[in-house]
Amino acid sequence: ATSRLLVNYPEPYRSQILDYLFKPNFGASLHILKVEIGGDGQTTDGTEPSHMHYALDENYFRGYEWWLMKEAKKRNPNIILMGLPWSFPGWLGKGFNWPYVNLQLTAYYVMTWIVGAKHYHDLDIDYIGIWNERSFDINYIKVLRRMLNYQGLHRVKIIASDNLWEPISASMLLDTELLNVIDVIGAHYPGTRTVRDARLTKKKLWSSEDFSTLNNDVGAGCLGRILNQNYINGYMTATIAWNLVASYYEQLPYGRCGLMTAQEPWSGHYAVEPPIWVTAHTTQFTQPGWYYLKTVGHLEKGGSYVALTDGLGNLTIIVETMSHKHSRCIRPFLPYFNVSHQFATFLLKGSFSEIPELQVWYTRLGKPSKRFLFKQLDSLWLLDSGGAFTLELQEDELFTLTTLTTGGKGSCPPPPESQPFPQVYEDDFDVDYPFFSEAPNFADQTGVFEYFTNIEDPGEHRFTLRQVLNQRPITWAADAYNTISVIGDYKWSNLTVRCDVYIETPEKGGVFIAGRVNKGGILIRSARGVFFWIFANGTYKVTGDLAGWIIYALGHVDVTAKRWYTLTLIIKVAGRKRIP
């Protein structure tokens, strides 16, 4: 749920952000976009809606992933698209918190998402995953492959298991059918290392989730180091950064762990962070289908280099000297190493010896006074040097040397200044044909809230926001027991919340509004704040937490289901008197 706030950005800023991410030779120039297959459950920073909330329900216009994939394809028609479930809608579990109760049913559900992407959005999904960072079921993977083939989706490849290298690698070596149906082994946060079994499968190895680090210079250093060393140390030919863009409230878990930051749709402000330009060093000068040369490795005094070719005479060399202090990723632990000033000499041989000139792109992270981000330097002339050249390398530098002349550092006029969330905010949800299923700035943390046109109400409650789940999903994280969507500013202390509410379920139903809610995402169950509840059985309470353990007040009130009420919650800091 990390792109939640991006969709609300006004133009031209929204398109500028998308250009920095996807437009070739402009910014990050990404080769792969991996999206969550929404499953109605909390998946780190919020919930994403499923295309099938229940068995006979299909809707391929919910959420924002369809839109995001189309925007990426619009800018780069060759971008590779991947889908992976984190949670699943509850009906697939038949009462169990487990997606493998009925293998055919779960495979059918995933297949419909792929077919829907093509039918409704003309999107070809290239890779499909199993279950993010959770158990895989060998028979399910085989059933999924058969289901895809039966639907004519032979071109869709399977990646497994989006967790650790084991036990998936050993399972593949012991089961020929499993080995044949899995195209790529994807591991998360591998620390640039792989395992012997994974290599023995002879499959493509990918770091299918990595980075996840604050997008300052240290985060950029982390990314620069792993983009090279995932291949050098671990033979991984793809690295997928979580997450694309930090477009979620910063106080949610892993705030600002995106390649860039776009968390203020109300102001239009965004920040193109250093990881964008570190990514460009690799992505602008290579493409899927290029080959790593065997002459890759570590430099004598720290750092590393890789070289890639398209097999048609083009060559790209990427050199990084990220120091330990400035390249620690959020995980795993990084053993100490030293990087110091050095000279590195490269010699181009064979057909590469005839390359007359290499373009040079340069980044230096660290002190602002000495900082450069993706700066084009004078090109290197090689004709008189017999294909040899020497680089002087300091720590925390990145060089790309390439035959490609298409690189570019895109720029846009500066976006508006940063502004806090507006102090007065209201929404009547009065939208006849909403472009997105979710109202702007609301970030669902348990449950799914969607625009709902209440055709039976001719009055002021025709247009509403409705929580649509009636069953707990197959969870990936610890979803709360009460549905909740957050909006606004975490710093607000004195505030008034007013909302018209309607309880749909007689006797057992209820609704609350709240302020000062202190956390969300995977921590939502333990959220504290001030919560004002009314229930269809004619009671109310005020609690200090979402779980309802800390009770400030309770009593009876004239409330019933199937009627509209206006709830108002006024929260003030109590005045303190000093007694002499």
Side-chain angles (χ1 to χ4, degrees):
T2 50
S3 323
R4 175 65 197 96
L5 298 174
L6 178 62
V7 298
N8 312 343
Y9 263 81
E11 294 294 353
Y13 312 115
R14 189 173 73 174
S15 289
Q16 292 168 4
I17 295 162
L18 292 161
D19 285 349
Y20 279 117
L21 295 168
F22 300 118
K23 189 177 174 182
N25 303 308
F26 188 86
S29 241
L30 295 169
H31 298 161
I32 298 175
L33 173 60
K34 175 178 182 175
V35 303
E36 174 180 344
I37 299 176
D40 295 335
Q42 169 62 248
T43 55
T44 297
D45 287 299
T47 65
E48 292 203 30
S50 170
H51 62 289
M52 296 175 80
H53 291 317
Y54 30 87
L56 299 175
D57 160 63
E58 283 186 61
N59 181 328
Y60 297 92
F61 295 90
R62 292 186 185 126
Y64 36 87
E65 303 292 10
W66 313 108
W67 167 83
L68 186 63
M69 288 189 281
K70 284 191 286 191
E71 292 294 328
K73 277 280 184 190
K74 202 187 289 182
R75 289 162 173 80
N76 176 6
N78 298 322
I79 198 164
I80 292 165
L81 297 178
M82 300 175 64
L84 175 66
W86 266 245
S87 65
F88 295 83
W91 60 274
L92 286 171
K94 299 192 179 299
F96 295 91
N97 197 37
W98 190 244
Y100 306 127
V101 175
N102 183 329
L103 304 183
Q104 295 281 349
L105 199 58
T106 300
Y108 172 80
Y109 165 81
V110 170
M111 178 274 293
T112 58
W113 185 85
I114 298 170
V115 171
K118 181 65 177 171
H119 183 81
Y120 293 97
H121 303 285
D122 198 25
L123 292 166
D124 290 303
I125 304 300
D126 299 291
Y127 290 87
I128 199 77
I130 306 306
W131 189 14
N132 182 66
E133 293 175 358
R134 296 292 179 265
S135 308
F136 62 89
D137 179 293
I138 289 172
N139 289 323
Y140 167 71
I141 299 173
K142 296 172 183 176
V143 166
L144 178 62
R145 180 72 268 167
R146 286 198 289 272
M147 178 84 66
L148 294 174
N149 291 351
Y150 182 71
Q151 290 292 329
L153 297 167
H154 299 84
R155 60 174 294 284
V156 178
K157 297 184 170 76
I158 290 178
I159 177 168
S161 69
D162 279 291
N163 200 347
L164 304 174
W165 294 115
E166 297 290 16
I168 190 69
S169 301
S171 303
M172 289 166 71
L173 293 174
L174 294 168
D175 184 330
T176 313
E177 187 189 349
L178 184 68
L179 184 71
N180 289 336
V181 300
I182 293 173
D183 299 278
V184 176
I185 304 179
H188 287 195
Y189 307 96
T192 76
R193 304 283 171 182
T194 184
V195 298
R196 184 167 172 270
D197 280 355
R199 293 199 54 209
L200 286 174
T201 65
K202 303 236 174 357
K203 295 288 180 176
K204 284 181 183 169
L205 309 181
W206 289 6
S207 174
S208 55
E209 187 178 314
D210 219 327
F211 176 58
S212 190
T213 303
L214 188 69
N215 58 22
N216 57 14
D217 275 19
V218 175
C222 151
L223 192 57
R225 178 174 56 78
I226 64 178
L227 281 173
N228 264 19
Q229 297 194 25
N230 274 347
Y231 181 73
I232 296 165
N233 301 336
Y235 303 95
M236 290 166 260
T237 54
T239 296
I240 300 176
W242 187 90
N243 57 64
L244 174 72
V245 51
S247 284
Y248 46 100
Y249 290 109
E250 193 173 330
Q251 293 81 356
L252 289 168
Y254 307 104
R256 279 190 48 206
C257 285
L259 297 179
M260 62 182 285
T261 306
Q263 57 193 20
E264 285 186 27
W266 47 88
S267 71
H269 177 76
Y270 64 86
V272 184
E273 310 284 9
I276 289 284
W277 303 117
V278 165
T279 304
H281 272 275
T282 295
T283 50
Q284 287 202 19
F285 308 107
T286 60
Q287 282 302 319
W290 281 45
Y291 297 90
Y292 280 97
L293 302 185
K294 286 183 177 170
T295 50
V296 301
H298 294 272
L299 297 165
E300 205 172 293
K301 293 188 175 176
S304 68
Y305 64 96
V306 294
L308 299 101
T309 182
D310 59 355
L312 304 170
N314 281 307
L315 174 69
T316 291
I317 303 165
I318 304 146
V319 183
E320 61 81 21
T321 56
M322 297 302 152
S323 64
H324 184 271
K325 183 180 173 186
H326 293 133
S327 73
R328 271 182 292 203
C329 305
I330 198 166
R331 67 180 79 88
F333 172 76
L334 181 64
Y336 183 74
F337 59 86
N338 192 47
V339 178
S340 54
H341 174 240
Q342 62 191 312
F343 292 89
T345 299
F346 295 83
L347 182 58
L348 305 186
K349 291 186 171 177
S351 59
F352 293 138
S353 64
E354 290 162 32
I355 291 172
E357 170 185 20
L358 288 173
Q359 310 297 315
V360 184
W361 292 82
Y362 174 68
T363 287
R364 179 162 193 183
L365 302 170
K367 291 195 185 96
S369 57
K370 296 180 177 173
R371 193 162 173 247
F372 294 98
L373 292 172
F374 200 56
K375 180 177 168 45
Q376 186 165 18
L377 306 182
D378 292 340
S379 53
L380 265 176
W381 287 91
L382 301 170
L383 286 177
D384 306 332
S385 63
F389 61 91
T390 300
L391 297 179
E392 181 177 2
L393 302 170
Q394 311 283 353
E395 60 178 38
D396 299 321
E397 290 183 329
L398 258 172
F399 282 91
T400 298
L401 306 111
T402 179
T403 52
L404 297 183
T405 55
T406 46
K409 185 171 183 181
S411 65
C412 299
E417 291 293 306
S418 172
Q419 299 281 347
F421 194 93
Q423 290 212 326
V424 178
Y425 185 86
E426 57 184 55
D427 194 339
D428 59 7
F429 312 116
D430 191 345
V431 189
D432 253 326
Y433 300 102
F435 195 74
F436 293 102
S437 57
E438 300 157 290
N441 302 322
F442 280 89
D444 301 350
Q445 300 301 314
T446 293
V448 173
F449 292 77
E450 295 177 355
Y451 281 116
F452 175 68
T453 305
N454 190 14
I455 46 179
E456 292 163 17
D457 191 316
E460 58 180 341
H461 297 120
R462 182 177 172 83
F463 296 101
T464 62
L465 190 67
R466 184 189 197 193
Q467 198 293 116
V468 296
L469 301 191
N470 55 14
Q471 185 180 7
R472 191 170 171 83
I474 296 170
T475 56
W476 181 81
D479 296 43
Y481 281 100
N482 299 295
T483 59
I484 178 172
S485 190
V486 297
I487 186 169
D489 192 322
Y490 275 74
K491 298 189 186 81
W492 284 342
S493 187
N494 292 356
L495 67 151
T496 300
V497 186
R498 184 174 293 113
C499 186
D500 288 4
V501 299
Y502 182 92
I503 301 170
E504 293 191 56
T505 311
E507 294 305 318
K508 291 185 176 176
V511 63
F512 70 84
I513 57 173
R516 296 190 191 168
V517 178
N518 72 338
K519 61 181 77 162
I522 42 179
L523 307 172
I524 188 63
R525 273 173 81 134
S526 56
R528 304 280 292 266
V530 181
F531 296 78
F532 173 29
W533 316 67
I534 58 169
F535 299 95
N537 65 4
T539 60
Y540 80 92
K541 65 179 176 181
V542 180
T543 69
D545 63 335
L546 176 61
W549 293 108
I550 305 162
I551 296 173
Y552 295 143
L554 47 80
H556 290 274
V557 66
D558 186 15
V559 165
T560 179
K562 312 283 185 188
R563 282 190 57 190
W564 283 97
Y565 298 95
T566 301
L567 291 189
T568 306
L569 174 62
I570 302 167
I571 308 175
K572 289 183 176 173
V573 175
R576 293 196 183 95
K577 280 187 178 174
R578 285 188 65 186
I579 298 168

